[in-house]
Amino acid sequence: MDHSECIFCKIARGEIPCAKIYETQNILSFLDISPSAPGHALIIPKAHFPTVLEVDPALGPDLITAFGKVGRAVMAATGATGMNVMLNCNESAGQVVFHTHWHVIPRIEGDGLRLWPGGKYDSMQEMSALAEKIRALVA
Ligand code: AMP
Ligand code: ZN
């Protein structure tokens, strides 16, 4: 597949600018251009994976390291006391840029962001049955 027109590949190659905050051999982090809160950052693998489902598991340690380093710095810079690390996978989940990326959103008590509306199962039996179905499908 040709990724030459992918916007995040272009950012990773330095062909279009970004507000860079962290870079290693495999990972790049920069500020989201349309932030949910000031300091909202994105963390991307430099290599092109359309969604999280394709990401090379070998990048796990690099990504976890980036969550910690970028998250701590974003919180320190903005005075945040917490953060959400989020990822959208596929259009139904709100993914717009198909070069996978994690959102790091700094949070402060009372900031009013509502990211996780909680639902409920009708019964523990329903929950257990769904867990069993999913467990059987874990490859
Ligand atoms: P998603 O909905 O998870 O695909 O998120 C894509 C994110 O990328 C959005 O929050 C956009 O604001 C952000 N974005 C798109 N283009 C750029 C860009 N050139 N620089 C920084 N962030 C961008
Ligand atoms: Zn890409």
Side-chain angles (χ1 to χ4, degrees), residues 45-114:
K46 288 182 178 175
H48 183 91
F49 304 102
T51 81
V52 69
L53 301 175
E54 291 85 30
V55 169
D56 181 354
L59 287 173
D62 299 57
L63 287 164
I64 297 287
T65 300
F67 298 154
K69 285 184 182 283
V70 170
R72 260 188 225 99
V74 163
M75 287 168 63
T78 60
T81 50
M83 64 173 176
N84 292 107
V85 178
M86 301 180 58
L87 176 141
N88 301 323
C89 178
N90 288 339
E91 276 179 32
S92 56
Q95 185 173 6
V96 174
V97 176
F98 279 78
H99 177 131
T100 201
H101 52 278
W102 281 260
H103 297 255
V104 176
I105 303 172
R107 301 298 305 274
I108 300 175
E109 281 77 7
D111 62 19
L113 282 179
R114 290 275 300 155

Side-chain angles (χ1 to χ4, degrees), residues 3 6-10 46-49 98-99:
H3 313 308
C6 168
I7 187 162
F8 285 179
C9 280
K10 284 184 175 175
K46 288 182 178 175
H48 183 91
F49 304 102
F98 279 78
H99 177 131

Side-chain angles (χ1 to χ4, degrees), residues 112-134:
L113 282 179
R114 290 275 300 155
L115 301 170
W116 302 110
K120 68 180 181 64
Y121 291 102
D122 287 337
S123 64
M124 284 305 292
Q125 196 184 6
E126 183 195 352
M127 188 173 168
S128 300
L130 186 54
E132 195 175 320
K133 182 177 180 182
I134 296 169

Side-chain angles (χ1 to χ4, degrees), residues 19-68:
K20 188 193 295 187
I21 55 178
Y22 174 77
E23 182 171 17
T24 66
Q25 191 184 343
N26 297 321
I27 303 291
L28 182 66
S29 179
F30 50 92
L31 293 184
D32 192 303
I33 206 165
S34 177
S36 297
H40 176 167
L42 301 177
I43 294 173
I44 69 168
K46 288 182 178 175
H48 183 91
F49 304 102
T51 81
V52 69
L53 301 175
E54 291 85 30
V55 169
D56 181 354
L59 287 173
D62 299 57
L63 287 164
I64 297 287
T65 300
F67 298 154

